[in-house]
Amino acid sequence: MENGQDALIRSLIKLLAGDGELELEGVTLTAKELTVSLADLSGFPAVTGLVPMPAPLAGLVDIGYTPPVRSYPGKIREVILGSTRGDGGSRVKSVTIGGSSTPPFHLFEGTDPHSPVVAGSVFDMVPPLPGPVKESFGDALEDPCAWAKAWVDRYGADLIDLDLISTDPYLKDTPVKRAVSLVEDLLQAVDVPLIIGGSGNPEKDAKLLPKVAEVCAGERILLSSATMSMWEPVAKAAQEFNHVVLAWSPIDINQAKELNRKLMGYLPPDQIIMDPTSAALGYGLEYSFSVMERIRFAGLMGDKELQCPMASGTANSWGAREAWKRDAGLGPREYRGPLWETTGALAFLLAGIDLFIMVHPGGARTIEDIVGWLAEGINPPTFPDFIGVGH
Amino acid sequence: MTKKKLGPMNLYPLLPRTNCGECLPKTCMGFAVQLCERGLTLAQCPPLVDSKFQVNLEKLEALLAPPVQEVAIGRGGREIRVGGQLVIHRHELRYFNKTAIFTTVDDTMAADGIANRVRETSSFSYPYIGHTLKLDGIAIRSISGDADSFQKTVETVKGLTEMPLVLWSPDPGVMAAGLEVAEDKRPLIYAADESNWEQMAELASRSGCPLAVHADGNVGTIRSLISAISDRGVKNLLIDPGCGFGEALPRSLDNMTMIRTSAISGDDSLLGHPLIGSPVTLWDQGNSLPDESIRWMESCLASMMTIRYADLMIIRDPSMWSTLPLVVLIDNLYNDPRKPVSVEPGLRIFGTPDPVTSPVLITSNFALTYYTVLSDIEKLNCYLLVADTEGLSVDSAVAGRKFNAQKVADIISSSGISEKVSHRTLIIPGLAARLKGDIEDAIKWDVMVGPRDSAGIPGYLREKWEGVDHKPGWSYR
């Protein structure tokens, strides 16, 4: 009590000596007339002798610190991708993401049960790819299964993402049957969990993705993707064959929520991962970043429709011309391009992304290393070996 | 206990309340609203400078003081301000004062090396959506520990540039020598720590220069140092809580997050100072990695520190490939989220297009897409239709069906382009290739699929447009 009074008097003097204001909380004053006399305060002779204030010149006084640990009522759901033999699939391991109960990498508030993971991106036809990506995979690009194997065997990808872009009626219009047989080949070629995407053409995807779901029955793949204009066939297929749905929304938290609500009418919530769109660095990254932060905080604060783990199509970073342009003034693009993708990924990592889909192994490896340091804090740096892979 | 959110009603009673109309909102209440949102400053209310409002002005200043202090470094035209943050997350309002980037020279470098570094830093520039991205200053580091050689280096740099400076030495004697020749430039004194804080505080107090406080990884020590240094009357402080990769990374990130959270949500005024990230220290670790690997790490670390609130960043050099992602990231995160993401849909005319031979292009109304296209075609004679994609980029808009045949038909009719040109050919973005057939059906024009990136437009027109009898209507102005 003595100390409390001393502290109060000290802070009173400090406040009133300057231009400070005093705010009293939880104090009731009962008085008919209250006189506060400021003139007397400069004196207050008793206090200086009474308070064992360390002389300011005597050195440093440890005044300590209490970290701002808060509690969050909500928790991000855990979602399992891939199914092992024991669970009716053929994957050598499954991957669990989500489970966070604190903001991303607020390690002073708590650690997450699962670390973010990286999926290596492959396509069923060679799309316009930047040079550094081509050089990292060489001839393997011509064969999606070889490309996927390179990701897993050489670059240690946790998952593979195959996008069946050639099924687009305006590209090659590859028939569903042929696209699906490639998926079957991929299941044989690699044993990590799979993400299988369509071309983004809603009519074609509505026919394609249910067939993909069927041939992957038991494998618990991630079907990519359901959108506001085409979600029902994907949701039904995921429900029937026990897969997970990637719910894509265009940098819009309300649409993300609405789509989740629709999907949750068909699916258990732990079969949904959200993709709130990853705009490229320099081309709207900040809008994606803020939507991700808002989604994650809303989930932690208890919004059950936003408690799904989040995925990022980080490969979008390569849409930025700064990533791929041949321009000596911008420096060597075999470093610049992968770093562009990596920088985007780092922003999204700290905004709450749980699953990255990337096209260059250098960035993928950097994210894995950084996640390792943050999760365990002990791993030695390894990723510099992977810069400019293929050179 | 957190600071109550400041509302216009906290400010209005202190304003003149005359609605004199000398400010832009014209009314005192409107002005109070703008003050809260930091759209206007007190200086923009002319009556407030009257001595009779002196007391109110001081109260207003105190109310409006941001929980993270704003500190000026440098003097004259190149003065910069760092900090001044009101929020933890940019979506809560916006971040102020873009993270400043300093590159480093040291007193063991040869004169031409110093001159090169300074020149590269001051000439770094990248044009980006209507403005130019630049670096902010030079950090001069004492490696030799010798006061004379530090002073000489400071003088050399001072003679080369007007950019703001950071003087970097743990030795108060060395620092004093540097300040002797540079204190008129108001450099940042970097840094006070547990061993030297009394002398550093004395130097800061005497010179009036801002002072950085450093304690590797221990926020309690930082608070103690700041408390003691503030008691000596030094108010313009920054905080460097340490910055490292590998096993140091979790602590580095946590310290930044904790300090900023405590300052803003916890009203911890001792921590209410701008934060420094110093990833340049990665170069000190004496490892045998190639330079490019260290640059890669340095850039990654700087980006993470930027996202976790650093207001000032010290990197080694302005290598373009590793610095460009960082300056773009900073620019992105510090732009005002309240600004519209979109531009007005409609017709834009470039140069003096010919109604018979000039091409008609179309793009989305996402601001970044629009400005990118603009920079690629502004020297051509052509028409550009900006479709209302609700602020989405072309690829997102195609996927989300915000760029579709109907939207194209809408802009064709509302823009009156049919009266402007006699031909009926529209060039759509390569990223919207799959909509070609739908658009043709909807507008009854010929549709050509343009390049995927607008940088390819001039080359595309040269090759494809001339080939369909329209030459040379697209030509350069």
Side-chain angles (χ1 to χ4, degrees):
Chain A
M1 199 57 222
E2 190 74 49
N3 287 338
Q5 280 173 1
D6 293 349
L8 179 63
I9 290 168
R10 260 211 316 279
S11 54
L12 264 172
I13 290 174
K14 202 171 168 188
L15 281 164
L16 295 172
D19 295 318
E21 287 180 19
L22 182 64
E23 190 176 318
L24 296 173
E25 280 192 3
V27 174
T28 315
L29 292 176
T30 316
K32 240 181 174 174
E33 190 178 308
L34 201 61
T35 311
V36 179
S37 174
L38 298 185
D40 292 340
L41 280 167
S42 55
F44 241 101
V47 179
T48 33
L50 188 144
V51 182
M53 265 284 268
L57 287 171
L60 215 49
V61 186
D62 185 4
I63 55 175
Y65 177 60
T66 311
V69 177
R70 292 162 292 187
S71 64
Y72 302 88
K75 188 176 169 216
I76 306 308
R77 286 183 201 95
E78 295 185 341
V79 172
I80 301 168
L81 291 172
S83 185
T84 58
R85 284 228 163 76
D87 291 322
S90 64
R91 307 297 87 193
V92 71
K93 56 162 188 166
S94 62
V95 165
T96 306
I97 60 171
S100 304
S101 52
T102 51
F105 301 107
H106 279 213
L107 302 170
F108 61 97
E109 295 191 277
T111 48
D112 292 340
H114 311 290
S115 296
V117 294
V118 180
S121 191
V122 307
F123 302 88
D124 68 339
M125 60 180 265
V126 184
L129 284 172
V133 175
K134 288 188 194 157
E135 286 151 21
S136 299
F137 292 97
D139 294 342
L141 291 177
E142 302 300 327
D143 171 6
C145 291
W147 191 350
K149 277 177 80 72
W151 262 118
V152 175
D153 298 341
R154 263 169 39 209
Y155 303 129
D158 299 306
L159 305 93
I160 289 295
D161 168 50
L162 168 64
D163 287 321
L164 301 163
I165 53 174
S166 79
T167 60
D168 191 322
Y170 294 100
L171 282 173
K172 290 187 175 172
D173 202 13
T174 303
V176 168
K177 214 170 155 186
R178 201 158 87 222
V180 163
S181 86
L182 173 61
V183 174
E184 288 175 304
D185 292 345
L186 184 67
L187 279 168
Q188 299 298 317
V190 294
D191 53 15
V192 297
L194 299 183
I195 305 168
I196 307 291
S199 66
N201 178 290
E203 290 79 20
K204 190 70 175 275
D205 283 1
K207 295 178 202 142
L208 172 69
L209 294 176
K211 286 291 174 196
V212 169
E214 195 180 331
V215 299
C216 295
E219 298 288 358
R220 203 172 171 90
I221 64 166
L222 176 60
L223 284 167
S224 162
S225 55
T227 66
M228 282 296 275
S229 58
M230 200 284 288
W231 58 272
E232 218 168 341
V234 187
K236 277 184 179 161
Q239 195 270 336
E240 188 179 350
F241 298 104
N242 192 28
H243 297 303
V244 180
V245 168
L246 186 64
W248 181 87
S249 52
I251 320 188
D252 182 331
I253 189 169
N254 296 316
Q255 273 197 43
K257 194 167 151 72
E258 195 183 333
L259 180 56
N260 282 359
R261 190 183 310 139
K262 287 179 190 293
L263 292 171
M264 283 174 195
Y266 275 90
L267 287 170
D270 70 352
Q271 282 174 245
I272 302 168
I273 293 174
M274 328 164 57
D275 176 358
T277 301
S278 297
L281 174 63
Y283 295 80
L285 171 134
E286 66 274 33
Y287 304 108
S288 293
F289 175 83
S290 285
V291 162
M292 290 169 189
E293 278 205 318
R294 289 171 59 202
I295 287 175
R296 180 49 47 95
F297 273 97
L300 292 174
M301 294 315 288
D303 187 334
K304 293 197 183 315
E305 286 168 346
L306 292 173
Q307 287 173 344
C308 306
M310 288 191 287
S312 158
T314 322
N316 289 347
S317 293
W318 289 91
R321 60 179 57 177
E322 288 85 351
W324 51 261
K325 201 166 155 187
R326 277 187 199 282
D327 181 342
L330 299 184
R333 69 173 190 162
E334 68 264 37
Y335 303 136
R336 180 177 10 111
L339 185 60
W340 207 265
E341 186 182 24
T342 305
T343 304
L346 290 172
F348 302 143
L349 179 72
L350 296 181
I353 289 295
D354 304 280
L355 165 61
F356 294 88
I357 301 170
M358 302 181 76
V359 294
H360 193 281
R365 186 55 178 265
T366 298
I367 295 304
E368 282 169 9
D369 276 340
I370 285 174
V371 163
W373 294 332
L374 289 172
E376 290 142 44
I378 45 167
N379 300 358
T382 56
F383 66 69
D385 309 346
F386 279 77
I387 308 170
V389 144
H391 288 269
Chain B
M1 185 173 75
T2 56
K3 199 174 261 181
K4 287 175 205 78
K5 197 171 155 43
L6 190 67
M9 284 313 293
N10 303 101
L11 306 175
Y12 178 72
L14 298 165
L15 292 171
R17 288 182 289 168
T18 53
N19 296 329
C20 69
E22 287 188 57
C23 63
L24 198 60
K26 304 284 185 200
T27 66
C28 291
M29 189 45 113
F31 189 71
V33 171
Q34 288 280 306
L35 282 176
C36 277
E37 293 174 358
R38 267 61 179 184
L40 293 172
T41 61
L42 289 168
Q44 286 164 295
C45 171
L48 268 184
V49 300
D50 193 311
S51 58
K52 72 177 173 185
F53 288 115
Q54 181 62 28
V55 175
N56 283 13
L57 183 61
E58 281 166 16
K59 283 186 186 162
L60 284 164
E61 277 167 355
L63 280 171
L64 286 165
V68 175
Q69 185 195 20
E70 185 178 70
V71 177
I73 302 170
R75 219 186 276 286
R78 300 300 291 268
E79 169 186 316
I80 57 161
R81 288 170 179 274
V82 294
Q85 309 306 344
L86 297 170
V87 294
I88 299 172
H89 304 287
R90 62 186 290 282
H91 62 256
E92 296 171 277
L93 184 72
R94 63 163 300 179
Y95 291 156
F96 296 87
N97 300 320
K98 283 201 297 179
T99 308
I101 301 187
F102 283 66
T103 65
T104 321
V105 300
D106 71 63
D107 65 351
T108 63
M109 284 167 74
D112 58 341
I114 291 173
N116 272 342
R117 184 70 54 81
V118 171
R119 195 184 54 242
E120 284 170 6
T121 304
S122 58
S123 66
F124 181 101
S125 98
Y126 187 75
Y128 176 67
I129 49 169
H131 57 286
T132 304
L133 305 181
K134 291 180 163 302
L135 304 182
D136 298 280
I138 306 283
I140 308 165
R141 188 174 183 181
S142 161
I143 297 281
S144 70
D146 177 60
D148 288 341
S149 79
F150 186 63
Q151 190 176 63
K152 228 178 103 206
T153 308
V154 173
E155 274 188 311
T156 305
V157 174
K158 216 181 123 181
L160 290 167
T161 181
E162 291 291 313
M163 296 181 96
L165 304 177
V166 169
L167 303 189
W168 179 348
S169 170
D171 181 331
V174 171
M175 187 59 70
L179 281 171
E180 201 181 306
V181 292
E183 69 177 48
D184 58 314
K185 297 284 181 194
R186 192 161 54 194
L188 172 65
I189 302 173
Y190 183 73
D193 60 25
E194 274 180 286
S195 67
N196 66 16
W197 67 272
E198 291 187 272
Q199 296 102 307
M200 289 295 193
E202 176 60 30
L203 288 172
S205 165
R206 210 173 59 207
S207 64
C209 295
L211 174 65
V213 176
H214 170 75
D216 217 350
N218 190 331
V219 184
T221 308
I222 289 170
R223 291 183 84 245
S224 305
L225 281 165
I226 289 179
S227 170
I229 291 170
S230 307
D231 284 350
R232 305 289 180 89
V234 181
K235 299 297 180 201
N236 291 321
L237 300 172
L238 287 86
I239 300 172
D240 175 7
C243 171
F245 239 173
E247 62 182 13
L249 180 63
R251 206 179 53 193
S252 299
L253 271 194
D254 257 3
N255 285 332
M256 301 290 276
T257 311
M258 289 193 298
I259 291 173
R260 188 50 51 92
T261 306
S262 291
I264 292 179
S265 299
D267 271 352
D268 188 339
S269 60
L270 287 175
L271 297 178
H273 301 280
L275 287 162
I276 299 175
S278 201
V280 62
T281 49
L282 290 175
W283 295 90
D284 297 347
Q285 289 167 5
N287 56 40
S288 55
L289 293 170
D291 275 11
E292 303 311 303
S293 298
I294 304 176
R295 261 190 236 294
W296 175 284
M297 288 200 283
E298 186 190 38
S299 182
C300 289
L301 185 54
S303 290
M304 298 180 86
M305 292 282 126
T306 295
I307 296 155
R308 286 292 155 86
Y309 322 120
D311 299 285
L312 190 155
M313 191 78 64
I314 306 177
I315 60 173
R316 194 183 76 161
D317 61 57
S319 141
M320 195 67 181
W321 72 265
S322 61
T323 308
L324 191 58
L326 176 63
V327 295
V328 171
L329 178 68
I330 291 170
D331 199 76
N332 284 180
L333 294 178
Y334 279 72
N335 91 19
D336 188 343
R338 298 168 298 177
K339 271 194 321 203
V341 196
S342 53
V343 297
E344 274 301 303
L347 172 66
R348 307 291 201 280
I349 296 173
F350 295 89
T352 47
D354 179 278
V356 182
T357 62
S358 290
V360 180
L361 306 154
I362 189 165
T363 189
S364 81
N365 78 326
F366 180 44
L368 291 155
T369 305
Y370 171 73
Y371 285 114
T372 305
V373 174
L374 180 100
S375 71
D376 290 323
I377 67 169
E378 61 190 352
K379 291 201 170 60
L380 309 182
N381 296 308
C382 66
Y383 301 93
L384 176 68
L385 292 168
V386 182
D388 182 5
T389 58
E390 298 174 31
L392 287 180
S393 64
V394 174
D395 50 346
S396 297
V398 169
R401 309 197 111 182
K402 302 293 185 195
F403 188 95
N404 56 32
Q406 188 54 48
K407 295 273 186 174
V408 176
D410 289 348
I411 194 70
I412 293 268
S413 78
S414 68
S415 65
I417 184 68
S418 305
E419 285 84 62
K420 294 250 191 290
V421 296
S422 57
H423 68 78
R424 291 289 178 267
T425 302
L426 176 69
I427 301 173
I428 63 170
L431 293 168
R434 74 160 78 118
L435 302 176
K436 180 178 190 293
D438 281 2
I439 296 173
E440 278 173 339
D441 292 346
I443 65 173
K444 314 288 182 217
W445 286 36
D446 292 332
V447 170
M448 292 169 65
V449 176
R452 293 169 65 88
D453 186 281
S454 59
I457 289 174
Y460 171 86
L461 293 176
R462 189 177 303 122
E463 193 182 324
K464 299 279 170 64
W465 188 255
E466 289 186 13
V468 288
D469 300 335
H470 298 291
K471 63 182 167 185
W474 64 275
S475 62
Y476 278 100
R477 281 191 256 155

